[in-house]
Amino acid sequence: MKHLFLSLSLIGAASLVACGKTEAPAAPAAETATAAAPAAEPAASQWPELRVAIDATYKPFTYKTDAGEPAGFDVDVAKALCEELKSKCVFVEQAWDGMIPGLQAKKYDAIISSMSITEERKQAVDFTGKYYNTPSCVVVKADLNLGADAANFKGKKLGVLKASTQEKYAMGELQPAGATVVPYDAQDQVYLDIKSGRLDGTVADVVEVNGGFLSTPDGEGYACAGARIPVEFDAKYFGAGAGVAVRKEDTALRDALDAGIKAIRDNGKWQAIAEKHVPGVDLWGS
C-alpha cells in the first residue's frame, strides 16, 4: 500500500506542475510580532566588590583554616550578604584595635567581624541592625567556684582583647574591684598566656571562648564564672548585639546590608550558617 500511495502522490504533483499551479508558500509564523522578548539582564550591583574587614583570631566567628582561608560564622554571613548584594566578597585581615580607623581610611568597605553596636562606636561609624547577640563572661579556673560579681576577681590577672567591649567592662568594673587587666592585640594570644600561666583568665564572648578555648585541651579545668556577666551591664558595655559597621556617609550600603540581613533570616540561610558553626546555640539572642 505504501508504494501505491507514493505513486498517486507523484502523479498528482506532476499534474499540478504541468498546469503551472503551485502551492503558495505557507506564511511564516509571526516571529517578529510574537517572538518572546529577550530575558532582562540582571541589574548590575552597585557594589561589584565588597571589601570586608575581619579579625581572624576569634573562633568560631572568624578564623583561618589550615589552608589559610578565612572561615567562621561571620565569614559565612558576609558571603551570604554579598550574594544578596550581587557583590564579590574580598576579605581584608585587620587587627581589632585598628578596625574602625581602617574603615575610616577606606581600607575596606564594611566590618563584619563580631563588632558590637555601642553608643561610643556609633559616634564614629554607622551600623546595620544586629546579625547576632550573645553575652560575655569572665573565665577563670572552675574549681574556684566564683560567681560573676566583680569583687570575686580581686587579685586575678585577666587578659582582654584590646578595644573590645570586654576590655571596656573589665576596665570599668573589674579593675576598680582589684583585678589586673591586660589588653592584647588578639584573643588567641590571651589563650596562649592563660595556658602558660601568665594570666588567671579572660573576659570574652561566651560562644567565642567556648569555641576558641574552653572546648580545647588548653581550656580543661576553666569555666565561665556565674555563666555570664550580669545582664544589667549589657546596655552600658556590650551594646545591642553585633552589627555590620560602615562609614557614616555610606547610607545606601548600610540599608542594602540591613535588607540583606532580613533576607537571609527569612530564607533560612542565616539559621543554616548558625547551625553549621554553633549547633544548638541561640545566636540571635534578645
Side-chain angles (χ1 to χ4, degrees):
M1 292 293 290
K2 290 181 181 177
H3 293 298
L4 175 59
F5 290 148
L6 178 60
S7 299
L8 291 173
S9 298
L10 289 174
I11 292 169
S15 302
L16 289 173
V17 172
C19 296
K21 183 177 179 181
T22 59
E23 292 285 342
E31 294 178 358
T32 54
T34 61
E41 291 291 330
S45 173
Q46 189 173 343
W47 304 276
E49 180 178 279
L50 192 69
R51 296 169 300 160
V52 176
I54 57 169
D55 169 18
T57 66
Y58 208 65
K59 193 173 185 177
F61 295 104
T62 48
Y63 62 97
K64 293 170 78 172
T65 66
D66 292 340
E69 294 298 318
F73 174 81
D74 287 335
V75 170
D76 283 350
V77 166
K79 290 177 179 177
L81 292 176
C82 282
E83 287 179 7
E84 293 296 324
L85 270 61
K86 299 180 174 59
S87 302
K88 176 186 177 184
C89 262
V90 176
F91 291 101
V92 181
E93 290 186 51
Q94 172 66 56
W96 184 254
D97 62 345
M99 277 285 181
I100 288 178
L103 180 64
Q104 293 172 325
K106 300 189 175 181
K107 289 174 61 178
Y108 31 81
D109 307 303
I111 300 168
I112 307 180
S113 194
S114 294
M115 179 167 279
S116 297
I117 305 164
T118 66
E119 291 303 317
E120 181 180 359
R121 287 171 177 159
K122 284 163 71 174
Q123 303 306 308
V125 298
D126 208 354
F127 282 96
T128 64
K130 72 172 185 177
Y131 64 91
Y132 84 89
N133 189 15
T134 51
S136 292
C137 71
V138 183
V139 170
V140 290
K141 282 283 190 180
D143 58 12
L144 295 174
N145 293 315
L146 298 180
D149 291 344
N152 293 332
F153 306 103
K154 182 178 180 179
K156 297 291 183 282
K157 190 175 182 181
L158 304 171
V160 293
L161 178 62
K162 193 182 296 182
S164 67
T165 53
Q166 290 79 19
E167 182 192 32
K168 295 289 184 186
Y169 169 77
M171 293 296 192
E173 303 295 330
L174 304 184
Q175 187 167 269
T180 299
V181 179
V182 185
Y184 282 73
D185 289 330
Q187 186 66 29
D188 56 358
Q189 295 172 5
V190 174
Y191 300 142
L192 290 174
D193 275 3
I194 295 175
K195 177 184 178 182
S196 70
R198 296 187 186 94
L199 295 171
D200 297 306
T202 185
V203 185
D205 178 278
V206 294
V207 175
E208 185 280 328
V209 77
N210 184 66
F213 181 63
L214 295 177
S215 64
T216 72
D218 293 341
E220 186 176 352
Y222 288 84
C224 282
R228 61 157 293 171
I229 290 168
V231 68
E232 57 262 31
F233 293 107
D234 284 0
K236 184 176 180 181
Y237 294 106
F238 298 103
V244 181
V246 299
R247 289 179 288 275
K248 280 189 168 290
E249 63 268 25
D250 290 341
T251 54
L253 177 58
R254 178 204 64 202
D255 292 347
L257 289 165
D258 243 337
I261 293 169
K262 183 180 186 307
I264 65 173
R265 284 280 292 171
D266 290 346
N267 64 24
K269 287 183 182 179
W270 184 93
Q271 189 61 42
I273 294 168
E275 285 298 317
K276 171 184 173 182
H277 294 285
V278 279
V281 174
D282 175 20
L283 277 186
W284 188 252
S286 57

